[in-house]
Amino acid sequence: MSPEWKDTGMTHVVVSRSHTNGNITACIYLVDLYCLGVKDCFYLFNASMEYYREKIGGYHFEQISYALAHNIIYSAVAFAEEFGFKPYKDFTSITRFMLEEDTEDVELIEIECGKKWKAIL
């Protein structure tokens, strides 16, 4: 994910899994933690490592745990929904293949959304 996420409230989060053939399946989320939640998302399915790197190569990312990625995405969605904002139109259809359901099985990490817990509109 983008290393400056706590300062800007905006981040790209990439959740990826490797296949036995060396290819990658990944979901890339644009997350607004200050108000709008998941603003965009797309996926790559069974992409070559070269293609994967080409698609995400223009960004500077730091590696994070799955639990942190999961909590950032779902916290932003929940916060945005409080203000009537729905996640990006393909969020549910894409996410069901990459993220686990938001249950107690995933470690809960408190993620601050909004600016001083208020949406910036």
Side-chain angles (χ1 to χ4, degrees):
M1 73 181 274
S2 309
E4 66 280 347
W5 68 279
K6 287 184 180 179
D7 297 326
T8 65
M10 188 77 70
T11 186
H12 283 93
V13 178
V14 179
V15 179
S16 60
R17 303 191 193 291
S18 61
H19 296 266
T20 56
N21 65 3
N23 287 349
I24 302 288
T25 292
C27 287
I28 298 89
Y29 300 89
L30 176 58
V31 181
D32 175 1
L33 290 155
Y34 283 171
C35 185
L36 300 175
V38 174
K39 294 178 59 165
D40 195 4
C41 61
F42 69 95
Y43 70 95
L44 305 172
F45 177 74
N46 203 22
S48 69
M49 185 58 80
E50 294 79 25
Y51 185 75
Y52 172 74
R53 286 189 177 137
E54 177 185 315
K55 285 297 185 189
I56 67 165
Y59 301 99
H60 175 68
F61 291 117
E62 65 182 23
Q63 189 168 355
I64 61 170
S65 69
Y66 170 79
L68 181 55
H70 178 101
N71 279 273
I72 287 171
I73 292 165
Y74 280 111
S75 293
V77 168
F79 185 80
E81 285 179 345
E82 290 179 31
F83 296 92
F85 297 106
K86 301 273 186 221
Y88 182 73
K89 63 182 175 70
D90 294 335
F91 174 76
T92 302
S93 62
I94 290 173
T95 298
R96 68 187 179 120
F97 294 109
M98 285 301 285
L99 294 181
E100 297 173 31
E101 288 186 43
D102 194 25
T103 66
E104 293 179 10
D105 293 338
V106 178
E107 173 191 2
L108 178 63
I109 300 171
E110 198 69 34
I111 304 296
E112 183 176 347
C113 293
K115 190 82 167 169
K116 301 218 189 277
W117 294 95
K118 294 179 183 177
I120 297 177
L121 299 174

